[in-house]
Amino acid sequence: MTDAFAPDATYHPWDTLIDSLVDTGYGVIHNALPPPEIDALLEEFEHLRHHDQLQRAGIGRGKEHQLRDDIRGDSIYWLNHNGPAQARYLERMAAFKDALNYALFLGLFEFEAHFARYPAGSFYKTHVDSLQGRANRMVSTVLYLNQDWPADAGGEMVIYDPNAPERELERVIPTANTLVCFLSETIPHEVRPTTRPRASIAGWYRRNASLNGVVDPAR
Ligand SMILES: O=C(O)CCC(=O)C(=O)O
Ligand SMILES: [Fe+2]
């Protein structure tokens, strides 16, 4: 197996991710990580799920936070360094941040991510991940953890054209080891209704902003 992260690797698939991000505002790569790391992430996630560690995800922040099944139906767990697989993923994404900053001059300095489980029948309606001008979440990432995903299972992530929101640019099948990256403020996207449980890690590179003198809270 070739490790794309070996220092002497001549071809680095994550480079193509950055190129597409610069060109089109989004990018998709397959075989993003060494496969054992995907297995380990899934195992850690399943362990957390069986120990009731997942919480229903809501929309809006702070006082505006609310649960809305009609908009988003997943349950989540925020990654931390307690589990070795999570810790390694956070390290990988921290390393990728430097490459992103170099290519995009975004001044990113933090990465936050959560596991997400969409039960059968759930979805996430079209949205953008960050309000324009808020300079908070800058780049969104989603890594999928589903080993088998039949073509008719639904649950695709659809990316829409920011200038013509009804125009579909890409339909991403949520199969294990596919990684999507997109600009948080501009790219509308949705999770189509899934017919089977769907596992992923959604993550965001942030640039903390001071809003009316109040520094943006961690989350
Ligand atoms: O799971 C996905 O494909 C996307 C999730 C998403 O859009 C989000 O959590 O903001
Ligand atoms: Fe999103």
Side-chain angles (χ1 to χ4, degrees):
M1 181 182 59
T2 50
D3 185 348
F5 293 87
D8 59 351
T10 48
Y11 169 72
H12 199 307
W14 292 49
D15 289 343
T16 64
L17 202 51
I18 293 180
D19 290 344
S20 332
L21 206 54
V22 172
D23 289 348
T24 63
Y26 74 94
V28 184
I29 54 167
H30 307 286
N31 306 313
L33 298 179
E37 295 189 20
I38 297 288
D39 299 342
L41 282 166
L42 192 56
E43 216 168 283
E44 241 166 73
F45 184 39
E46 285 301 299
H47 179 84
L48 291 162
R49 186 165 77 81
H50 287 123
H51 288 79
D52 287 333
Q53 298 296 298
L54 272 55
Q55 290 185 332
R56 278 297 325 279
I59 55 165
R61 289 162 63 116
K63 279 197 278 255
E64 264 123 62
H65 187 88
Q66 50 175 322
L67 294 182
R68 287 284 301 270
D69 276 333
D70 55 330
I71 298 179
R72 121 175 243 200
D74 57 329
S75 291
I76 63 171
Y77 179 89
W78 288 95
L79 267 62
N80 55 59
H81 287 85
N82 296 337
Q86 294 168 62
R88 188 165 44 192
Y89 185 64
L90 291 172
E91 277 159 29
R92 287 235 188 261
M93 297 307 271
F96 185 53
K97 181 184 68 184
D98 298 334
L100 277 173
N101 277 334
Y102 188 78
L104 294 163
F105 307 106
L106 287 176
L108 310 171
F109 77 78
E110 199 177 83
F111 180 73
E112 62 180 8
H114 62 56
F115 285 111
R117 182 178 188 274
Y118 287 77
S122 66
F123 50 81
Y124 194 161
K125 289 254 166 88
T126 307
H127 63 280
V128 288
D129 285 347
S130 184
L131 295 180
Q132 213 127 29
R134 195 118 188 245
N136 178 14
R137 290 172 164 177
M138 304 300 291
V139 175
S140 304
T141 65
V142 193
L143 173 73
Y144 299 104
L145 302 175
N146 309 290
Q147 295 299 0
D148 299 298
W149 201 262
D152 61 355
E156 305 97 328
M157 202 264 256
V158 184
I159 291 175
Y160 294 98
D161 185 342
N163 301 313
E166 67 291 339
R167 191 171 151 241
E168 203 174 299
L169 295 181
E170 187 102 18
R171 209 165 249 255
V172 184
I173 311 293
T175 39
N177 221 350
T178 293
L179 182 91
V180 190
C181 247
F182 54 89
L183 298 179
S184 306
E185 288 186 346
T186 50
I187 301 288
H189 57 283
E190 83 170 305
V191 177
R192 297 291 304 153
T194 182
T195 61
R196 52 171 60 201
R198 175 190 189 271
S200 61
I201 299 177
W204 297 270
Y205 289 102
R206 298 163 53 98
R207 181 174 72 182
N208 276 21
S210 170
L211 206 64
N212 303 326
V214 181
V215 176
D216 204 27
R219 184 170 294 157

